[in-house]
């Protein structure tokens, strides 16, 4: 059976835009035409492809169609660019990527900016915890991801980027108030800290290593990397920060280290296993920036 690329692209457009109406505007067709295309493909493959919620989401079968649509779009872009056709000039392709919040806040955007000056590309960046970005690859939501998963996702290739190392820090005023006798287990049980969100396990991992019971600890949630660091620097609580966010404050004394072992998070670049010059150049630019700023 041959899957019509136009029908597959329609499914991907609905997933990207969230509704049939928005997909219709993107494709310059009517919502009725979008609906008919989806029904036609569903009948062909014998599977439901979309859950028609708001936003619409792909079923497991739909995810396979979305992956196909994105791969075809990327390969077509590479071919048209290689042929140097007039229609390729200025025609942008959307490249969806996934990255963890701390990388995006500290080093990830610079290589994307350089790439955008050389290629007509639009980056659609999805932010998630590094332990979960690989799932966005599996679903076909993104073409490549910064992830903590070293084993390649099915259909993907992987390369190491480096290590992002975190240390527990706090303001001197916070330490004087909450940890005057040092950061021992008893004091840390009472001292409030800052968590990124309910899936962030950096702080709790550090506490476990210090023998702290997590039942009674007090935490604030600040789910944005820059704001998380700012909350720690304002004394809201202690938190785990990478050197790129803490070095200046440690140097001027506005933050101090709490001791204990640092937590190291190894990061990897996973991308679809396609022979795509554009995707390869993106990977090389990301890896070069990571080699410059991350630990080996």
């Amino acid at each position: 059976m041959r899957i019509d690329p136009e029908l597959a692209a329609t499914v991907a457009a609905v997933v990207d835009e969230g509704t049939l109406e928005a997909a219709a505007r993107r494709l310059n067709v009517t919502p009725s035409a979008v609906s008919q295309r989806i029904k036609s493909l569903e009948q062909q493959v014998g599977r439901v492809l979309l859950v028609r919620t708001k936003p619409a989401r792909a079923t497991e079968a739909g995810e396979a169609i979305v992956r196909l649509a994105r791969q075809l779009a990327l390969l077509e872009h590479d071919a048209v660019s290689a042929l140097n056709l007039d229609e390729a000039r200025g025609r942008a392709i959307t490249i969806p990527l996934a990255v963890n919040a701390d990388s995006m806040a500290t080093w990830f955007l610079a290589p994307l900016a350089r790439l955008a000056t050389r290629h007509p590309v639009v980056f659609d960046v999805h932010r998630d915890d590094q332990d979960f970005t690989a799932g966005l690859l599996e679903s076909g939501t993104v073409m490549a991801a910064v992830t903590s998963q070293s084993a390649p996702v099915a259909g993907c290739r992987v390369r190491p980027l480096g290590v992002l190392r975190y240390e527990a820090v706090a303001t001197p005023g916070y330490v004087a108030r909450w940890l005057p006798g040092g950061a021992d287990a008893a004091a840390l049980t009472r001292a409030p800290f800052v968590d990124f969100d309910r899936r962030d396990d950096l702080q709790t991992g550090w506490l476990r290593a210090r023998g702290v019971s997590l039942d009674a600890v007090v935490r604030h949630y600040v789910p944005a990397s820059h704001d998380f660091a700012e909350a720690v620097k304002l004394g809201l609580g202690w938190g785990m920060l990478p050197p790129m966010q803490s070095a200046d404050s440690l140097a001027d004394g506005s933050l101090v280290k709490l001791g204990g072992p640092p937590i190291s998070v190894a990061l990897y670049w996973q991308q679809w296993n396609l022979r795509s010059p554009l995707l390869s150049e993106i990977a090389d630019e990301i890896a070069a920036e990571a080699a410059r700023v991350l630990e080996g």
Side-chain angles (χ1 to χ4, degrees):
M1 183 188 71
R2 180 180 180 275
I3 296 174
D4 188 324
E6 183 179 59
L7 301 184
T10 301
V11 175
V14 174
V15 171
D16 288 343
E17 301 299 329
T19 66
L20 271 66
E21 293 75 15
R25 289 192 293 271
R26 171 171 149 182
L27 298 172
N28 294 316
V29 298
T30 66
S32 176
V34 170
S35 180
Q36 288 302 315
R37 289 180 185 181
I38 294 168
K39 288 179 181 178
S40 176
L41 187 52
E42 288 179 331
Q43 289 171 355
Q44 288 180 31
V45 301
R47 300 285 193 280
V48 175
L49 301 177
L50 290 173
V51 179
R52 288 162 172 77
T53 53
K54 287 191 176 181
R57 58 183 178 83
T59 63
E60 184 176 353
E63 290 174 353
I65 297 297
V66 170
R67 282 195 298 273
L68 173 63
R70 297 200 198 287
Q71 290 170 356
L72 289 173
L74 178 61
L75 293 176
E76 181 186 41
H77 179 274
D78 287 337
V80 172
S81 297
L83 293 170
N84 197 29
L85 300 178
D86 289 339
E87 63 182 282
R89 297 191 183 100
R91 192 177 82 176
I93 182 173
T94 298
I95 303 293
L97 305 173
V99 63
N100 59 307
D102 288 338
S103 291
M104 185 158 68
T106 55
W107 66 271
F108 187 75
L109 296 179
L112 299 191
R114 291 194 293 270
L115 287 159
T117 65
R118 302 198 297 266
H119 297 281
V121 60
V122 174
F123 291 108
D124 181 7
V125 181
H126 298 248
R127 187 197 69 192
D128 206 341
D129 186 271
Q130 62 270 1
D131 294 336
F132 298 94
T133 49
L136 296 173
L137 272 172
E138 294 173 328
S139 68
T141 302
V142 301
M143 297 180 182
V146 176
T147 174
S148 60
Q149 184 172 320
S150 59
V153 171
C156 295
R157 68 182 71 169
V158 60
R159 66 195 290 184
L161 292 176
V163 173
L164 195 55
R165 202 175 308 279
Y166 296 80
E167 290 187 297
V169 296
T171 65
Y174 174 92
V175 171
R177 178 182 178 187
W178 293 102
L179 307 170
D184 56 37
L188 288 168
T189 300
R190 299 185 299 270
F193 68 96
V194 185
D195 249 351
F196 185 84
D197 59 24
R198 286 162 177 78
R199 296 195 295 183
D200 181 13
D201 60 0
L202 286 175
Q203 282 69 222
T204 54
W206 187 84
L207 286 172
R208 288 191 188 97
R210 307 280 286 185
V212 177
S213 171
L214 301 179
D215 295 335
V217 292
V218 178
R219 71 189 76 192
H220 305 282
Y221 292 103
V222 183
S225 185
H226 172 80
D227 297 332
F228 176 97
E230 188 66 16
V232 173
K233 293 173 183 178
L234 290 172
L236 186 63
W238 68 267
M240 308 292 295
L241 293 181
M244 287 172 281
Q245 290 183 313
S246 65
D248 290 344
S249 296
L250 289 170
D252 66 22
S254 56
L255 285 178
V256 295
K257 297 180 181 181
L258 299 186
I263 292 181
S264 298
V265 177
L267 297 177
Y268 301 86
W269 179 255
Q270 294 214 31
Q271 69 180 54
W272 288 350
N273 193 18
L274 295 176
R275 292 185 178 274
S276 165
L278 177 57
L279 202 55
S280 295
E281 186 174 347
I282 291 171
D284 290 342
E285 193 74 50
I286 295 294
E289 184 71 12
R292 187 180 69 81
V293 300
L294 300 180
E295 298 184 28

